[in-house]
Amino acid sequence: AEHYRALIVTTVDLLGHSQPLELFARIGAEPDNLRAAMTWAFEAGEVLLALDLAEGFGRFVGGGGWSEQLEWFERALDAAGDAKSPAERARRLRLHGAFVGSGPDQQRAVDLLESAIEIYSELDAAGEASDVLVPYANAIINATVIRFYLGEGGERNEHFRAAIERA
């Protein structure tokens, strides 16, 4: 399980700097091993490890389908509960919401992004959002764009404008 976490972290770290195609291929070629590692992590009570693995599974393994990727991630996120800081939980919800938004379940993406926005809003109200204003704005932008795709109005437009101004 730790081996796969290290492989996922290395691949994510390289995303902005190079094309880690070899690492993508390695991770993508081992969905059964990743499933086994996630199962082991859950059974061993290593929920943060399970969360890291589930995030990597969702990003890099295409064979399981959207519903399986979402199921693993949400199971891990629920199990992690308060083990992560609110800012980290919001970050993961935002990233996963953006990921899900590129697939068929756009309403679920909005739900994930709205959960992230709620946490960011609470951090902002508590005066703890100075280092998360850009991700906060990003979550609002993503949710707004997906809502427009879904044909919903811009009820978050006032939040959108405020977040952009603050960021």
Side-chain angles (χ1 to χ4, degrees):
E2 288 290 348
H3 163 76
Y4 288 107
R5 175 194 264 168
L7 187 59
I8 289 166
V9 168
T10 299
T11 304
V12 169
D13 287 347
L14 292 174
L15 287 176
H17 306 291
S18 65
Q19 296 295 325
L21 297 178
E22 179 184 319
L23 294 175
F24 274 25
R26 281 181 59 194
I27 296 170
E30 301 199 48
D32 292 336
N33 288 335
L34 273 170
R35 287 182 191 100
M38 286 185 289
T39 299
W40 176 87
F42 280 118
E43 290 172 356
E46 297 286 339
V47 294
L48 297 180
L49 174 59
L51 185 57
D52 289 341
L53 294 171
E55 190 173 325
F57 185 82
R59 275 189 179 182
F60 303 118
V61 178
W66 287 99
S67 61
E68 181 186 13
Q69 293 166 353
L70 186 58
E71 182 180 314
W72 278 111
F73 179 80
E74 290 184 351
R75 178 179 172 200
L77 191 64
D78 289 344
D82 294 331
K84 287 286 188 183
S85 71
E88 179 63 16
R89 184 172 176 81
R91 182 188 76 80
R92 290 186 189 245
L93 286 165
R94 178 182 57 83
L95 291 173
H96 201 64
F99 169 74
V100 171
S102 65
D105 195 355
Q106 293 182 333
Q107 184 57 55
R108 185 64 189 128
V110 169
D111 294 343
L112 290 163
L113 290 164
E114 290 290 339
S115 294
I117 291 166
E118 184 177 329
I119 295 168
Y120 286 134
S121 178
E122 291 168 2
L123 290 169
D124 192 25
E128 301 173 15
S130 62
D131 58 342
V132 295
L133 288 177
V134 171
Y136 184 14
N138 186 276
I140 292 171
I141 292 166
N142 286 339
T144 302
V145 168
I146 294 169
R147 282 188 179 281
F148 279 115
Y149 274 127
L150 292 172
E152 298 176 13
E155 64 261 11
R156 283 226 169 249
N157 281 344
E158 70 282 356
H159 299 293
F160 177 82
R161 282 188 204 90
I164 294 300
E165 288 172 10
R166 291 194 50 150

